[in-house]
Amino acid sequence: GENVEQHPSTLSVQEGDSAVIKCTYSDSASNYFPWYKQELGKRPQLIIDIRSNVGEKKDQRIAVTLNKTAKHFSLHITETQPEDSAVYFCAASGGASGTYKYIFGTGTRLKVLA
Amino acid sequence: SAVISQKPSRDICQRGTSLTIQCQVDSQVTMMFWYRQQPGQSLTLIATANQGSEATYESGFVIDKFPISRPNLTFSTLTVSNMSPEDSSIYLCSVDTGVTNYGYTFGSGTRLTVV
């Protein structure tokens, strides 16, 4: 079945710097890749997503890139702020595991240092 | 996006007992999903609940331990049966409206502690 690897597990950046989180997936049939942000004690919230027919998507300070050939996708956060501190999860869906079933990565704990 | 009401938000239960978690959605949704998130860990899918059919369980999860009901398109329950301390976790429901390429919305979660 699908397997999603996520790196790094923890990431510390200075406020204003950029942060990059990378995920790789195993099922080449996967076609939808959401990213979730989970603050401490709260539910995961969708922050951005990308479909397999698009190579890049941007929403203000966050962007996601997808390389289908290499089967990896990345989350980019620019001009980081303390409120960006949270755990970020990538996911993949649409592959052999099932069209709507999400397989999540292991998560990245981002700390933005003021 | 859909709004999900999940309850209880937390509970402390004795081992050997059962707890039923409820999720109510403010609109009709095709699929509902139940996840478990152990402390500091990722989200693991327990089962997919479709209205009118039995839930589909993932490897490692069985119906006797985690029975699920889906009586209509806006409501589902997950029961954690015969609990042990290893069941201590956060349980989250999630919905997919069925609209193509629409991200899941999660409920607020139920923090379960088994003593």
Side-chain angles (χ1 to χ4, degrees), chain A residues 28-44:
Chain A
S28 57
S30 292
N31 57 17
Y32 178 63
F33 308 92
W35 285 89
Y36 283 82
K37 175 183 180 182
Q38 187 175 31
E39 297 178 23
L40 188 63
K42 297 188 176 181
R43 75 188 78 188

Side-chain angles (χ1 to χ4, degrees), chain B residues 19-72:
Chain B
L19 175 71
T20 295
I21 302 167
Q22 300 180 2
C23 267
Q24 178 74 53
V25 190
D26 68 344
S27 59
Q28 294 185 342
V29 294
T30 305
M31 298 186 199
M32 294 183 75
F33 305 89
W34 287 97
Y35 282 86
R36 182 173 73 183
Q37 186 175 31
Q38 296 179 310
Q41 302 296 312
S42 186
L43 298 119
T44 301
L45 182 62
I46 297 172
T48 302
N50 292 325
Q51 192 266 339
S53 62
E54 282 196 5
T56 302
Y57 290 82
E58 298 300 305
S59 176
F61 299 96
V62 295
I63 187 172
D64 290 346
K65 176 68 175 177
F66 298 101
I68 288 171
S69 77
R70 182 80 198 275
N72 56 53

Side-chain angles (χ1 to χ4, degrees), chain A residues 62-83:
Chain A
I62 59 173
V64 57
T65 59
L66 171 66
N67 183 327
K68 288 191 295 181
T69 302
K71 291 189 285 187
H72 66 72
F73 56 110
S74 300
L75 177 71
H76 305 254
I77 306 174
T78 59
E79 301 173 21
T80 53
Q81 301 168 3
E83 51 266 38

Side-chain angles (χ1 to χ4, degrees), chain A residues 31-32 36 38 41-44 46 49 51 89 100-102 104-107 109, chain B residues 4 31 33 35 37 41-43 45 58 92 96 98 101-104 106-108:
Chain A
N31 57 17
Y32 178 63
Y36 283 82
Q38 187 175 31
K42 297 188 176 181
R43 75 188 78 188
L46 178 71
D49 57 11
R51 299 161 184 74
F89 293 99
Y100 296 107
K101 185 183 298 185
Y102 285 15
F104 283 90
T106 49
R109 183 173 301 278
Chain B
I4 305 173
M31 298 186 199
F33 305 89
Y35 282 86
Q37 186 175 31
Q41 302 296 312
S42 186
L43 298 119
L45 182 62
E58 298 300 305
L92 300 117
D96 182 343
N101 295 330
Y102 188 87
Y104 287 2
F106 283 89
S108 53

